[in-house]
Amino acid sequence: MDWKDQINLEKLPRHIAVIMDGNGRWAKQHGKPRVFGHRNGVKAVRETTEAAAELGVDFLTLYAFSTENWNRPRIEVNALMTLLVETLRNELDTLNKNNIRLRAIGDVSQLPSRTHKALVEGIENTQNNTRMTLILALNYSAKWEIVEASRRLAQKVAQGQLEVTQIDESVFADALSTAGVPDPELLIRSSGETRLSNFLLWQLAYAEFHFTPIFWPEFRKEHLYKAIVDYQNRERRFGKISEQI
Ligand code: FPP
C-alpha cells in the first residue's frame, strides 16, 4: 500500500509548515553550484503545494528565506531573489487554476523591489482564492516576529487602546504575522537537519515534527504523504495522559 492510501482524510493537519533544506548539499552532490539546487527546489515546491491542495490541507507555510540568509554570498542571495520573481510570475496561473491563495510572512518590505513587486502582485492576484492558502516565509525569523508583535502591543497600550491585563495568548497570537491562521500541527524539515532555525517558534509550540533525510530538490508528493502518515500515527496529548484522550 502506498503512503497516500494510508492517510486518514478525516484527520488531516489543517496547516503544514515546511523548512525546505538541503538545496546546496544536493547541488554539491551533483557537482553544480548551489543555485542549481535552489532551481531544482522549485519542482519540490510545486509538488508539495499540489499534493497538499489535492488532499485538502488548508494552509501550507514554506520557509523560503530567513533574515539570516542575507549573510550568504551575494551571488547566491541575488540568484534566490531572481528565482523568487521568476517562480512567482511563472506559477501565478497555476495558483489561480488551483484556487490557491498566496500570502507572505516576514519583513517583506526589505526585499529587493522587484521581488517585493512580484510578491505583492501574486498576493493581490490570488486574494479571492479559497481552496488552500500558501504562505511564503520571506525575510522571516520568529524572534523578529515576536519582537514586532510585542512592539505593536506596547504601542497600543501606550496609546490607551489596550490594557496590559487584556494581553493573553489569543491577543498575542493576533499580533503575530500569522494572525487568523491556525497553528501548524505538522512541521517537516528536509535534509536530515533537526533544528528549528528561528521558524514559527510561537506557532509550533504543539506541532509534531517530521524530519526526513531527503534533500529538498528530491522532495516529492510521496514524502509529504509519508510525513502525514507519521503525524497521524503520533498520539497528541497536549500535556494530558493517554487515558484522558
Ligand atoms: C535551503 O537549502 C533552501 C533555501 C534557503 C531556499 C529555498 C528556496 C527555494 C526552494 C526556491 C524557490 C522557493 C519558492 C517558495 C518560490 P540550503 O541552501 O540551506 O541547503 P544546504 O543546507 O544544503 O546548504
Side-chain angles (χ1 to χ4, degrees):
M1 191 156 67
D2 67 23
W3 291 109
K4 192 177 182 186
D5 298 329
Q6 295 181 49
I7 294 176
N8 178 353
L9 293 173
E10 308 284 300
K11 289 187 175 169
L12 271 185
R14 280 195 72 198
H15 185 175
I16 300 177
V18 185
I19 302 178
M20 310 182 286
D21 196 11
N23 292 351
R25 277 164 287 162
W26 182 84
K28 199 171 175 189
Q29 266 186 353
H30 289 77
K32 303 273 190 191
R34 295 177 55 83
V35 175
F36 181 74
H38 298 315
R39 290 207 158 265
N40 280 277
V42 175
K43 173 135 173 66
V45 169
R46 204 178 294 129
E47 286 248 337
T48 308
T49 307
E50 204 176 283
E54 282 165 0
L55 284 173
V57 170
D58 293 328
F59 297 90
L60 175 68
T61 299
L62 303 178
Y63 204 3
F65 195 87
S66 76
T67 50
E68 288 87 11
N69 286 152
W70 296 112
N71 297 322
R72 292 187 173 203
R74 201 182 162 80
I75 186 164
E76 181 173 346
V77 172
N78 287 343
L80 269 170
M81 291 301 146
T82 304
L83 184 59
L84 275 165
V85 176
E86 272 175 32
T87 310
L88 287 164
R89 299 235 159 99
N90 291 342
E91 303 297 328
L92 196 56
D93 278 353
T94 316
L95 289 177
N96 277 325
K97 267 186 210 135
N98 287 286
N99 196 11
I100 297 171
R101 179 178 180 180
L102 186 69
R103 256 180 86 159
I105 53 171
D107 193 1
V108 294
S109 66
Q110 298 304 310
L111 294 171
S113 60
R114 65 204 159 90
T115 311
H116 185 251
K117 188 165 177 272
L119 181 66
V120 171
E121 278 168 13
I123 292 171
E124 283 174 359
N125 273 298
T126 59
Q127 63 183 346
N128 296 321
N129 295 343
T130 52
R131 187 184 186 195
M132 184 179 84
T133 301
L134 172 64
I135 304 173
L136 296 184
L138 283 165
N139 195 19
Y140 173 87
S141 89
K143 287 189 175 181
W144 164 83
E145 178 187 42
I146 290 169
V147 169
E148 277 299 303
S150 310
R151 279 193 188 152
R152 225 167 281 151
L153 294 176
Q155 199 160 24
K156 281 194 177 174
V157 171
Q159 289 168 348
Q161 295 163 0
L162 185 71
E163 297 285 338
V164 168
T165 49
Q166 286 177 305
I167 301 176
D168 57 13
E169 287 186 16
S170 148
V171 168
F172 199 87
D174 282 344
L176 294 168
S177 54
T178 47
V181 175
D183 287 344
E185 296 95 329
L186 170 62
L187 168 84
I188 301 170
R189 181 167 190 155
S190 60
S191 91
E193 303 293 352
T194 49
R195 291 183 291 275
L196 215 40
S197 299
N198 216 346
F199 188 44
L200 300 175
L201 295 180
W202 172 281
Q203 298 87 339
L204 292 172
Y206 271 105
E208 298 294 332
F209 291 5
H210 174 90
F211 299 108
T212 169
I214 299 289
F215 286 146
W216 182 250
E218 288 182 348
F219 195 92
R220 293 293 174 266
K221 289 184 179 185
E222 281 304 306
H223 301 113
L224 181 76
Y225 302 149
K226 187 178 177 191
I228 294 174
V229 171
D230 180 26
Y231 156 82
Q232 291 185 334
N233 286 332
R234 310 268 180 95
E235 183 183 61
R236 308 191 75 210
R237 290 196 293 275
F238 300 99
K240 297 181 182 166
I241 64 167
S242 280
E243 289 70 20
Q244 292 174 294
I245 294 163

